[in-house]
């Protein structure tokens, strides 16, 4: 009995020892497991923190890049808007200063005018102005700030303003009847269109500038502004926008009116501004033009520039005359506005007021003389051949 109890007690003690031993290992295992879980959790949290930190840096970098791009885009928009505004402002003013637009455009107008002075006192015409076309700089003058009558040089302004105010230059138009009697009465020059003749508006531009057709100007006035008075109002508005202080217009043809006047300098500025218009430049620099067939002229007809038909060639010292508009009334005398290329630049020369019993082509001779003097001042050899 005692033996059984001792054996039982021994078994019980071994079980307790095993239980204690197993329990210790179990607790250690649990502790290790718990420790591993905690370690894994810490690593996981650490990983999340590092990942979140990387995402935060990436998001911040993206925001910086997007902000930079937005600022850059705004600056580009402001730059181009500024160029557009300066371009338009430059077209509406006298073009006396070139400003930032000329620098940005990189065009010829950004170049300074040549540092030369041309003495125009030898010209027959009592009034003259020679300017650099790109900058408007005066290179020579002869009483260029005194008031003159512009005669048919007026058509430079009237045609330019008409171009700007007619939406479709290729539309058909029928010549009105009501202004012809007045033009006949004043012996106004005409291109050759008859009352009631149907043509295309663009043809009237050539008719007005090349043979100095008054009927073309009158019809252009109707198409552009409803009447001659309407076009004249637009012409004076344009002169005001150009900053001209000694110019005023009462008609679109150049027929004499004591209240229609300008100066050779301001007429040069008008031509300079008009040449910025590509359509005007194309017509102004044309020597002759064949009109398309009409109901009255089924074979069309040819009109010549009143300047180029009177010269053998257009060569001057260092270049050539590219375009011209003549003018004459008894009160105005012989007038001429020309544009020439000498070297790699363009220039404008306006002369007026030559009047003599012997009304020859002295205004044309003045144009060649003026540009020859300019070419010589710029260092070119004498290449002009004169006039015919």
């Amino acid at each position: 009995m005692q033996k059984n109890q001792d054996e039982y007690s021994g078994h019980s003690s071994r079980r307790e020892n095993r239980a204690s031993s197993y329990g210790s290992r179990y607790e250690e295992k649990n502790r290790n497991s718990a420790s591993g879980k905690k370690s894994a959790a810490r690593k996981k949290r650490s990983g999340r923190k590092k990942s979140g930190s990387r995402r935060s840096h990436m998001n911040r970098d993206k925001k910086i890049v997007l902000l930079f791009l937005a600022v850059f885009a705004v600056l580009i928009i402001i730059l181009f808007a500024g160029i557009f505004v300066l371009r338009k402002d430059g077209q509406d003013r006298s073009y006396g200063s070139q400003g930032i637009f000329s620098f940005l455009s990189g065009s010829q107008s950004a170049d300074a005018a040549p540092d030369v002075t041309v003495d125009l006192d030898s010209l027959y015409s009592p009034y003259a102005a020679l300017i650099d076309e790109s900058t408007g700089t005066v290179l020579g003058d002869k009483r260029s700030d005194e008031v003159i009558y512009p005669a048919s040089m007026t058509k430079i302004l009237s045609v330019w303003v008409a171009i700007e105010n007619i939406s479709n230059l290729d539309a058909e138009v029928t010549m009105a009847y009501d202004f012809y009697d007045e033009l006949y009465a004043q012996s106004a020059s005409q291109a050759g269109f008859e009352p009631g003749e149907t043509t295309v508006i663009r043809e009237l531009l050539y008719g007005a500038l090349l043979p100095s057709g008054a009927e073309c100007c009158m019809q252009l006035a109707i198409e552009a502004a409803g009447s001659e008075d309407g076009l004249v109002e637009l012409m004076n508005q344009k002169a005001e926008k150009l900053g001209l202080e000694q110019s005023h217009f009462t008609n679109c043809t150049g027929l004499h009116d004591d209240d229609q006047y300008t100066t050779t300098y301001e007429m040069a500025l008008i031509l300079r501004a008009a040449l910025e218009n590509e359509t005007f430049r194309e017509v102004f620099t044309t020597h002759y033009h064949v009109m398309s067939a009409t109901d009255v002229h089924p074979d069309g007809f040819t009109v010549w520039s009143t300047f180029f038909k009177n010269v053998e060639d257009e060569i001057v010292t260092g270049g050539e005359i590219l375009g011209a508009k003549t003018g004459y009334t008894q009160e105005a005398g012989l007038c001429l506005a020309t544009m020439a290329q000498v070297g790699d630049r363009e220039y404008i020369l306006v002369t007026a007021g030559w009047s003599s019993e012997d009304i020859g082509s002295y205004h044309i001779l003045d144009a060649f003389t003026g540009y020859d003097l300019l070419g010589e001042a710029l260092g070119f050899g004498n290449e002009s051949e004169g006039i015919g």
Side-chain angles (χ1 to χ4, degrees):
M1 180 70 176
Q2 180 67 39
K3 184 180 179 180
N4 291 338
Q5 288 179 348
D6 290 340
E7 289 178 357
Y8 176 78
S9 175
H11 287 303
S12 176
S13 176
R14 285 195 295 273
R15 280 198 300 270
E16 289 176 0
N17 289 335
R18 283 196 297 270
S20 176
S21 177
Y22 290 151
S24 295
R25 288 199 297 271
Y26 177 77
E27 289 173 1
E28 184 179 356
K29 182 178 180 181
N30 285 343
R31 283 196 300 269
N32 291 338
S33 176
S35 176
K37 290 180 179 179
K38 289 179 181 179
S39 177
R42 283 196 297 269
K43 290 181 180 180
K44 188 174 184 181
R45 285 195 297 270
S46 175
R48 284 199 297 265
K49 287 181 180 179
K50 290 181 180 179
S51 177
S53 177
R54 286 195 296 271
R55 284 197 297 269
S56 176
H57 285 300
M58 291 175 63
N59 289 336
R60 184 174 61 190
D61 291 343
K62 287 181 179 178
K63 289 178 180 179
I64 292 173
V65 171
L66 290 174
L67 178 62
F68 174 80
L69 291 175
V71 171
F72 181 75
V74 170
L75 290 175
I76 291 296
I77 292 171
I78 292 173
L79 177 63
F80 280 98
I83 292 174
F84 175 80
V85 171
L86 288 171
R87 180 192 292 271
K88 183 170 179 58
D89 182 66
Q91 291 175 343
D92 288 341
R93 297 185 183 277
S94 64
Y95 299 80
S97 62
Q98 294 305 301
I100 190 173
F101 168 69
S102 297
F103 172 77
L104 293 171
S105 67
S107 65
Q108 183 186 28
S109 62
D111 301 331
D115 186 17
V116 298
T117 300
V118 180
D119 186 353
L120 301 180
D121 287 343
S122 62
L123 302 187
Y124 288 98
S125 302
Y127 310 96
L130 173 66
I131 69 171
D132 179 87
E133 194 272 338
S134 295
T135 65
T137 302
V138 177
L139 303 179
D141 83 286
K142 183 179 183 181
R143 300 166 65 185
S144 64
D145 59 347
E146 296 185 26
V147 169
I148 62 158
Y149 297 124
S152 284
M153 291 191 300
T154 300
K155 294 182 176 76
I156 293 172
L157 180 58
S158 58
V159 169
W160 173 36
V161 173
I163 290 172
E164 289 193 336
N165 287 276
I166 296 175
S167 59
N168 183 9
L169 294 174
D170 295 311
E172 285 193 347
V173 61
T174 300
M175 302 298 291
Y177 287 84
D178 52 5
F179 51 73
Y180 275 89
D181 288 342
E182 181 181 356
L183 297 182
Y184 294 147
Q186 297 192 57
S187 300
S189 58
Q190 296 188 36
F193 289 105
E194 300 292 338
E197 185 172 359
T198 299
T199 185
V200 175
I201 295 176
R202 191 179 298 274
E203 302 284 51
L204 301 180
L205 306 179
Y206 291 94
L209 286 181
L210 302 189
S212 205
E215 86 277 26
C216 298
C217 289
M218 295 297 288
Q219 191 63 49
L220 285 170
I222 294 172
E223 301 304 317
S227 66
E228 182 180 23
D229 289 342
L231 183 61
V232 168
E233 182 177 355
L234 295 176
M235 291 164 62
N236 284 314
Q237 289 176 6
K238 179 66 75 174
E240 183 178 355
K241 287 182 179 180
L242 291 174
L244 309 185
E245 298 179 350
Q246 294 179 277
S247 297
H248 183 261
F249 299 90
T250 59
N251 64 63
C252 65
T253 60
L255 291 169
H256 181 71
D257 187 316
D258 287 343
D259 200 30
Q260 177 150 296
Y261 52 82
T262 186
T263 67
T264 52
Y265 172 64
E266 293 196 349
M267 181 53 66
L269 293 180
I270 290 172
L271 176 55
R272 177 172 179 251
L275 286 169
E276 291 292 320
N277 183 287
E278 293 183 4
T279 300
F280 179 91
R281 175 180 279 264
E282 179 181 351
V283 177
F284 185 78
T285 56
T286 298
H287 292 198
Y288 69 93
H289 178 73
V290 180
M291 298 292 185
S292 56
T294 70
D295 48 346
V296 177
H297 297 92
D299 296 324
F301 62 97
T302 301
V303 293
W304 276 85
S305 161
T306 53
F307 174 84
F308 289 109
K309 75 176 182 179
N310 287 307
V311 302
E312 289 183 356
D313 59 52
E314 58 275 9
I315 302 302
V316 297
T317 302
E320 62 179 324
I321 297 176
L322 302 179
K325 181 70 196 79
T326 60
Y328 173 77
T329 64
Q330 185 174 354
E331 296 83 358
L334 289 165
C335 307
L336 180 60
T338 57
M339 183 263 285
Q341 180 173 334
V342 179
D344 59 355
R345 299 180 70 87
E346 293 179 352
Y347 302 89
I348 292 171
L349 174 63
V350 177
T351 61
W354 171 251
S355 183
S356 171
E357 292 181 1
D358 178 20
I359 302 179
S361 299
Y362 292 104
H363 59 322
I364 296 179
L365 180 60
D366 279 347
F368 283 88
T369 299
Y371 290 120
D372 284 341
L373 291 171
L374 172 63
E376 292 167 8
L378 293 173
F380 295 99
N382 187 2
E383 301 173 10
S384 70
E385 299 294 336
I387 66 169

